[in-house]
Amino acid sequence: MIQLHHVWWLAAAVLAAATFFDLRARRWGNALFWGILAAVFAGGDAILVQDAAGNHLPTQLVGVAVVVMALLAGTGGVQRAAPGPDETARREASAQRLGHRLFVPALMIPAVTTVLFLLAPFLVVGAWRLLPAENATVPALALGCCVALLVALYTTRSRPQQALAESSRLLDQLSWAIVLPMLLAALGRVFEHTGVGAAVASLIEMTIPTDSKLACTLAYGLGMIVFTMIMGNAFAAFPVMTAGIGLPLLIRQHGGDPAVIGALGMLTGYCGTLLTPMAANFNIVPAVLLELKDSYGVIRAQAVTAALLACVNILLMYLLAFR
């Protein structure tokens, strides 16, 4: 059975390859950054190991690693590698030769992931199963990426080492912003455990009529947008706003459907992702990669769409959650 730690080991292998390529190119800061992240992924199981006193000692090492990575990123130690003119010309020629076939591997990822997730309960032989019953999504995504890689190698007639080299190039292009979703999701858990959700609930109870379903729905939806804009990620905002408004007011007090509230609440939070520079990997890095003159051009182009989607999501939440 494919477990989560197998996925983490696969990610560690890709990051280790990036470390190797950066060492060979003498990009020492980049190599150290990806090497630390690779070690964290590879040693994920060790983080859960306790000593005789029940202390999670390796967790402290991970904390030190995160601080070192932050220092590397903040001091400019992680730099984006600019492609040479020959490399750019080669890519353009390859893209013209392959045409729309380039989209096939990318589309394979969501297609294979969805099929595997839906078929997970049936991919069982005796006591053996392909995907874990409790969390099939991430292993299914990893398998989808592996299938897409094989299709990409067949389509482009490239060697496997070329895939690792391109992965390293993409990591260097995205730079430190690639770890923001993980860090911000962890920040959401920190806020949840430190009682931010309870503080939000108290503030909401003082400012809105909590006996009104519409007022609570608006507070939850707009709160998801605002917190997402502050934190840069809906995953970080979701535990805070759900603990503060979604669970106590919409679900317990007004009897809302948890599935509808959770799904549409997260979707509403994504509207905030479209509006904030804190979501650097979505809104700032693409502007850099596309060499836009306006670094906030992506956000400006998305603003109207984000506002319309937010209105539709909040309306759907109000209409569907309390049927």
Side-chain angles (χ1 to χ4, degrees), residues 21-318:
F21 284 110
D22 280 328
L23 284 174
R24 194 168 66 175
R26 297 187 177 184
R27 291 190 290 268
W28 311 117
N30 293 36
L32 180 59
F33 188 89
W34 301 125
I36 291 174
L37 192 58
V40 171
F41 272 95
D45 290 340
I47 298 171
L48 302 178
V49 177
Q50 299 181 359
D51 63 5
N55 298 316
H56 296 271
L57 294 178
T59 306
Q60 300 175 0
L61 299 179
V62 175
V64 173
V66 171
V67 171
V68 173
M69 291 171 65
L71 290 174
L72 283 171
T75 57
V78 184
Q79 300 178 351
R80 294 186 174 91
D86 295 339
E87 186 179 3
T88 302
R90 180 180 60 81
R91 285 206 192 96
E92 290 178 353
S94 178
Q96 291 177 358
R97 176 176 58 86
L98 294 170
H100 294 304
R101 285 182 292 167
L102 284 172
F103 292 100
V104 175
L107 294 175
M108 291 296 293
I109 297 176
V112 174
T113 302
T114 302
V115 171
L116 288 175
F117 177 79
L118 295 176
L119 295 179
F122 308 101
L123 300 176
V124 181
V125 179
W128 180 88
R129 59 186 308 128
L130 178 63
L131 301 172
E134 66 279 2
N135 190 353
T137 307
V138 177
L141 175 61
L143 283 177
C145 292
C146 292
V147 172
L149 172 61
L150 295 176
V151 173
L153 292 176
Y154 175 79
T155 302
T156 61
R157 300 297 191 272
S158 299
R159 297 179 179 180
Q161 54 264 38
Q162 182 65 23
L164 292 175
E166 289 300 312
S167 296
S168 175
R169 180 190 64 81
L170 184 60
L171 285 172
D172 281 342
Q173 282 290 91
L174 295 175
S175 187
W176 52 264
I178 200 170
V179 303
L180 274 179
M182 292 180 283
L183 295 178
L184 292 170
L187 179 62
R189 292 298 299 272
V190 170
F191 279 14
E192 178 187 0
H193 287 291
T194 53
V196 175
V200 170
S202 300
L203 182 62
I204 292 298
E205 289 176 0
M206 291 187 297
T207 54
I208 70 169
T210 55
D211 57 342
S212 169
K213 296 177 183 178
L214 178 59
C216 292
T217 303
L218 284 172
Y220 181 59
L222 295 176
M224 278 295 300
I225 294 173
V226 172
F227 264 73
T228 299
M229 292 178 66
I230 294 172
M231 297 183 179
N233 193 301
F235 288 106
F238 184 75
V240 176
M241 297 309 301
T242 301
I245 302 176
L247 186 59
L249 298 179
L250 294 179
I251 296 174
R252 290 177 180 167
Q253 180 172 325
H254 294 293
D257 187 334
V260 174
I261 291 171
L264 288 174
M266 181 68 82
L267 208 57
T268 305
Y270 290 147
C271 297
T273 304
L274 300 175
L275 298 170
T276 176
M278 287 295 292
N281 50 328
F282 297 114
N283 300 330
I284 302 301
V285 171
V288 175
L289 295 178
L290 295 173
E291 299 180 354
L292 301 181
K293 294 181 180 179
D294 183 4
S295 57
Y296 299 108
V298 174
I299 296 176
R300 298 183 199 280
Q302 296 171 160
V304 175
T305 302
L308 293 175
L309 282 176
C311 293
V312 171
N313 289 335
I314 294 174
L315 179 61
L316 288 175
M317 193 188 313
Y318 178 71

